Amino acid sequence: MQQTATVQAKTRPRLGRGIAAVTLLAAAAVAVSPVSQANAQAWEPTKPVQFIIPAGTGGGADQMARFIQGVVAKNNLMKQPMITLNKGGGAGAEGFLEVKKANGDPHTLIITLSNLFTTPYATGVPFSWKDMTPVAMLALDQFILWVPADAPYKTAKEYIEAVKAGDDKSFKMGGTGSKQEDQIITVALEKLTAPKKFTYVPYGGGGTVATQLVGKHVNSSVNNPIEAVSQWKAGALRPLCIFDAQRSTYKDKVTANMAWSDIPTCKEAGVDTQYQMLRGIFMAPGVKPEQTAFYVDLFKKVMATDDWKQFMQQGAFNQTFMSGDQYAKWVEAADKQHHDLMKEAGFLAPGK
């Protein structure tokens, strides 16, 4: 944003390509005997695996977790069942604290989104990502500026100009939660509409946000693609721009005349703001390396299926995979970035 350059630099957690790959030094290599290696790979769950979703039903995290559950079951990728459980109270704090207290239990997983960072900073809840064990980044999720299909705005620039020309807080932006990623993006957009601001309307999940936008209870949203794709296909919503540096790579038509790749970046549309969200997996603290390795392998198997590839395309995900030290370093950098963003927006809880 011309103002925009600053917002761009700060609002997007950068892709994993910007994090140096970990180099394994030969001098530090440790030989592993075939017997010990076999033992390390032998662990597998001995009871049902609880897969926690720190969000409400219908949103992107909920859809991805339940999809993974289905792929695991369909392809018999694990002997024990995977049981999804929504624990979205306190902007996801309920779910994160559940994992934190499951110290040493390898049968507890959680799917994460940006509330991994925003919830502790906004609420002061005694939790951080370091209270869990990183497993893998599955993808980076996009955000799109959506309006009702019959709205008069054909471009993101037109919509921003309308907000700027209207009465202060007369335009309503629907989003998931308060002081979370949707509101962070809204605050970034307000640097372009200044001195006018949106009225931000928080809802419990992305599915509800899309429904409320179709019903015109709000004027716009910044939903993830998968949260609004059904309404887009049905002709009820219009995407104005995608909050990424590049257009989506998915070229198959989603509607009769548009693919994800046809949606311009917000910068192209004159609204220079970027942001992407983590879709990753964590375990409880205190688990053993061979237990973490089991789940890294499990999710690699999930990602190798045709079902997963179709799911990625349907939701226009950025397919970036990480595990191990590389993943932990990415999360650490994203955590700092969210702290800085929330400080700038005035969203930090006292003492944070």
Side-chain angles (χ1 to χ4, degrees), residues 35-80:
V35 174
S36 61
Q37 190 173 37
N39 288 338
Q41 295 174 348
W43 185 88
E44 59 183 278
T46 57
K47 63 180 183 179
V49 173
Q50 181 175 248
F51 195 11
I52 294 174
I53 306 162
T57 58
D62 181 69
Q63 291 187 51
M64 180 175 281
R66 294 179 186 280
F67 178 81
I68 290 170
Q69 177 193 40
V71 170
V72 170
K74 173 183 176 181
N75 295 280
N76 297 311
L77 300 181
M78 190 168 65
K79 294 178 182 178
Q80 295 291 336

Side-chain angles (χ1 to χ4, degrees), residues 235-309:
L237 294 182
R238 175 188 298 148
L240 296 183
C241 67
I242 189 168
F243 291 92
D244 196 356
Q246 297 88 27
R247 291 194 182 200
S248 172
T249 59
Y250 300 107
K251 299 184 181 300
D252 290 349
K253 296 298 183 186
V254 178
T255 67
N257 57 3
M258 282 191 75
W260 291 116
S261 59
D262 293 321
I263 302 172
T265 68
C266 292
K267 183 175 182 178
E268 284 181 87
V271 180
D272 194 359
T273 305
Q274 297 177 30
Y275 188 91
Q276 289 184 308
M277 182 168 64
L278 171 66
R279 296 294 185 194
I281 304 295
F282 282 75
M283 296 174 69
V287 296
K288 298 176 181 178
E290 60 266 29
Q291 295 166 338
T292 303
F294 171 85
Y295 290 109
V296 172
D297 183 63
L298 174 69
F299 287 107
K300 285 181 178 179
K301 290 176 180 176
V302 169
M303 296 170 72
T305 65
D306 289 338
D307 286 339
W308 176 263
K309 294 168 186 174

Side-chain angles (χ1 to χ4, degrees), residues 188-239:
L189 291 175
E190 288 175 343
K191 293 188 176 184
L192 290 176
T193 63
K196 306 298 176 57
K197 294 183 179 294
F198 290 93
T199 293
Y200 180 77
V201 184
Y203 295 102
T208 303
V209 174
T211 301
Q212 293 297 309
L213 181 57
V214 170
K216 300 182 181 178
H217 301 290
V218 293
N219 302 97
S220 57
S221 75
V222 288
N223 257 5
N224 301 126
I226 199 168
E227 294 173 332
V229 65
S230 296
Q231 290 83 355
W232 184 30
K233 286 181 178 179
L237 294 182
R238 175 188 298 148

Side-chain angles (χ1 to χ4, degrees), residues 173-184:
M173 178 72 81
T176 302
S178 297
K179 300 181 180 179
Q180 305 290 323
E181 53 274 0
D182 292 19
Q183 193 170 10
I184 289 173

